[in-house]
Every structure is written in C-alpha cells, then in structure tokens.
C-alpha cells in the first residue's frame, strides 16, 4: 500500500545543474500536483495535471517543467537549478471525485 | 494576495484542554475546505474537511466549523493530546471550478501541546 512515492528524499545540487524529482502513485488517481514548502510560506502549487498528457501551471511554475506520460508518474524537472529553488517539494494526488489529496513524504532539495 | 490566511504562526495549549486553530479566506469561489496535519520530515496528512453547504463537521476529537458569511473556519481539537503537536495547514479548493488547480494553502499554525 505505497500511496504516493517520491524519490529522492534528499538532494544537493550545484547552481546550474539539472535534475528530475520523481513522483509515482498507485491509487489510479487522475489529479497529480507538485508543491513547494518554504519557511513561513505554507505550500505553494508549482504545476498540476488532470490526467495523462495534460499539465498546467500553478502559482509558482518558473524554473520547473513537468510531463505526464502515464497516470502513475508525474516527474518534476529543474533544468538549471538556482539557490531560490532550495525548498522541500511535495507531490500529491487525488481522485477525480475525491477532494482529499494524498501527499508523498517530500524531497528536500538544497541548491548551492 | 494571500487567499487563505492563518494568522497565528504558533499556538501553545495545555494537554487536555481545547485547541482552536483559525483560518480565513478571501476567495468566494472556494467551496471545500480541508485541514492537514504535518509532522517534521513527513508529508502533510489529511485530517478533516468541510463542504460549503455545511457549517460543521465532526470526526472524533476533531471538529471543523465554517462561517461562510465571515469567510472563516476553525478547527477544534478536544481534548488536546501530546501527539497533536504538529503544524496544521488550512487548505481550500473550488470544486465548482473543476478542482483542477490544486489546493490553496495557508501558511500553517504550529500547535504545541504542553504536558
């Protein structure tokens, strides 16, 4: 009963490097989303997807790309990491009629 | 412009007493509200929710109250227990808008239960 799985749990990047944060869910949920959590800022929506092949921008999309080739996976790509992207990233999923979102354990990213 | 506001960054309550966490919102399109609980180094976990057609929802020790005219909701925890110490996020959602744009979160309130 995995739910939402995020990898890696921790990552340190140098400025300008690229990487992909992985997110997978096994609940056959249509909706998936990425949030970042910063001190004093709560969780802010980066990108979301309402199904395979469909993605859209959230509140803070700059510097991030996403794709949704399957229902299960929703990776988040940083093409050129910047120190401002140091944050904790959470992936979430929810079913099309169930408004409760399930969150992964998070990825703590540090960009130096 | 912050659409969901939790104005108390932290709250300290004695074990056994009532904890009341408050949340205000500005977007009239929101019609579903949720509370999430978050422990350090873990993802948020769903606690309780309420639809805008109701003014109260109860689940064990947790009750959420919604005052639509005031655009205000509150989470009551009775009695408070040490395991309730966590950060609590209020979140809102527009189901009538299709729910596609995710949840809008407040900044969170750190609840500390004192023995």
């Amino acid at each position: 009963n995995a739910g939402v799985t995020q990898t890696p749990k921790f990552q340190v990047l140098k400025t300008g490097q690229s990487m992909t944060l992985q997110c997978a869910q096994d609940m056959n949920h249509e909706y998936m989303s990425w949030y970042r959590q910063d001190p004093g800022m709560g969780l802010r929506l980066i990108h979301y997807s309402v199904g395979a092949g469909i993605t859209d921008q959230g509140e803070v999309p700059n510097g991030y790309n996403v794709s949704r080739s399957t229902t299960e996976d929703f990776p988040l790509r940083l093409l050129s990491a910047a120190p401002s992207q140091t944050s904790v990233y959470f992936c979430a999923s929810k079913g099309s009629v169930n408004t409760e979102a399930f969150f992964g354990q998070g990825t703590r990213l540090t960009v130096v | 412009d912050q659409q969901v506001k939790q104005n108390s960054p932290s709250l300290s309550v004695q074990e056994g007493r009532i904890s009341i966490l408050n949340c205000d919102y500005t977007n009239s399109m929101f019609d579903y509200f949720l509370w999430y609980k978050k422990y350090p180094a873990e993802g948020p976990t769903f606690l309780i929710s309420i639809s805008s057609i109701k003014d109260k929802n109860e689940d064990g020790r947790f009750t959420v109250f919604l005052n639509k005219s005031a655009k205000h909701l509150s989470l009551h925890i009775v009695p408070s227990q040490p395991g309730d110490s966590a950060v609590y996020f209020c979140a809102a959602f527009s189901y009538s808008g299709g729910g596609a744009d995710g949840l809008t979160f407040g900044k969170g309130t750190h609840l500390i239960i004192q023995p």
Side-chain angles (χ1 to χ4, degrees):
Chain A
N1 194 359
V4 180
T5 302
Q6 289 183 237
T7 56
K9 285 189 169 55
F10 301 95
Q11 182 71 50
V12 178
L13 286 180
K14 292 183 179 179
T15 298
Q17 284 185 316
S18 63
M19 80 158 294
T20 300
L21 280 63
Q22 302 291 345
C23 175
Q25 53 95 3
D26 61 0
M27 297 173 282
N28 202 32
H29 283 170
E30 291 295 320
Y31 294 166
M32 295 186 75
S33 49
W34 277 100
Y35 296 85
R36 60 178 288 173
Q37 184 192 11
D38 301 294
M41 297 296 290
L43 286 89
R44 292 181 293 169
L45 181 66
I46 305 171
H47 284 284
Y48 64 94
S49 168
V50 301
I54 307 169
T55 64
D56 208 340
Q57 298 180 351
E59 180 187 355
V60 287
N62 292 341
Y64 308 95
N65 282 345
V66 292
S67 59
R68 184 95 179 271
S69 56
T70 66
T71 299
E72 294 77 21
D73 299 299
F74 190 42
L76 178 72
R77 296 184 187 85
L78 286 71
L79 296 179
S80 179
S84 60
Q85 294 178 304
T86 293
S87 186
V88 182
Y89 292 85
F90 291 101
C91 177
S93 76
K94 62 177 185 174
S96 58
V97 295
N98 184 352
T99 56
E100 172 191 346
F102 294 86
F103 284 82
Q105 297 276 58
T107 295
R108 182 174 293 276
L109 175 68
T110 302
V111 183
V112 296
Chain B
D1 180 33
Q2 208 181 344
Q3 298 185 65
V4 177
K5 300 178 185 178
Q6 293 177 258
N7 292 320
S8 298
S10 66
L11 175 67
S12 184
V13 174
Q14 208 164 10
E15 182 179 355
R17 306 291 288 268
I18 183 171
S19 296
I20 301 177
L21 294 88
N22 293 304
C23 178
D24 297 292
Y25 63 97
T26 58
N27 189 340
S28 300
M29 294 297 291
F30 289 143
D31 47 21
Y32 206 88
F33 305 90
L34 306 92
W35 285 94
Y36 281 83
K37 178 178 180 179
K38 186 182 180 304
Y39 293 119
E42 294 185 10
T45 55
F46 171 73
L47 194 56
I48 192 170
S49 62
I50 188 166
S51 163
S52 60
I53 62 173
K54 295 185 175 181
D55 55 17
K56 177 182 175 181
N57 188 26
E58 200 170 349
D59 183 1
R61 296 186 298 114
F62 303 93
T63 303
V64 56
F65 296 92
L66 175 62
N67 183 334
K68 280 183 62 180
S69 61
K71 292 191 176 69
H72 175 83
L73 63 154
S74 60
L75 173 67
H76 292 212
I77 306 173
V78 182
S80 300
Q81 298 175 353
D84 296 330
S85 294
V87 177
Y88 289 78
F89 289 101
C90 173
F93 169 85
S94 175
Y95 192 72
S96 57
D101 56 351
L103 295 166
T104 301
F105 283 87
K107 293 184 178 181
T109 296
H110 185 194
L111 176 65
I112 302 161
I113 305 301
Q114 309 249 350

